[in-house]
Amino acid sequence: MDWEGMADAVQLELPSDYREFVELHGGGEIDEYLSVSTPPVPGSPYGDLLDRVDPALSDRDCQELGALLGGQTLPLLLPFAYSASSDVAFWLRKGAADSWRVAIFRRQTPWGVNRWTIFNGGMAEFCLAVLTGVVDPFSERISGSRPLRFVSWRDI
């Protein structure tokens, strides 16, 4: 993948751990639980990363996330992964790409519970923490067998 050309074309540099993941694995799913998007790749259903640079969020969603961030101005968001429950992991695009934190939006929560979780780490740390059960930010937990298996879009 031409990361520099893409960064120049869309004015967006992506975190190095993400670029390494995509170079090694491409887009696909981990145990039919966690899907990882990539920049456009011909034929890939996961090549939609750049189509979602400006996600539509409700006023309530923005208020909840803003409250969780201490009332600061919301950084730009970029969704990069999705759970089987349609939950979304976003990068909080503030500062250098390698310092972006992760914000997770849960679609299913009890009434009155904030649907956002902030993870203070990058994409690789976040995926590892979720898949090993260290954090539980999604509507449901991963229930697959061990070891976990990544399946590329080419093999699905």
Side-chain angles (χ1 to χ4, degrees), residues 10 16 18 28 30 46 52 55 66 69 79 93 106 110 127 135 139 143:
V10 297
S16 59
Y18 171 79
I30 302 168
Y46 298 95
R52 301 171 187 234
L69 295 171
R93 294 173 48 202
R106 283 187 295 182
C127 289
V135 297
S139 298
S143 59

Side-chain angles (χ1 to χ4, degrees), residues 76-123:
L76 296 172
L77 301 173
L78 178 60
F80 67 89
Y82 303 85
S83 77
S85 303
S86 298
D87 304 319
V88 183
F90 295 88
W91 280 303
L92 295 169
R93 294 173 48 202
K94 182 177 179 182
D98 284 338
S99 69
W100 293 350
R101 297 184 298 162
V102 176
I104 303 90
F105 179 76
R106 283 187 295 182
R107 299 237 179 249
Q108 303 168 19
T109 59
W111 176 254
V113 173
N114 191 323
R115 296 186 287 175
W116 291 94
T117 302
I118 303 296
F119 180 80
N120 290 315
M123 178 266 192

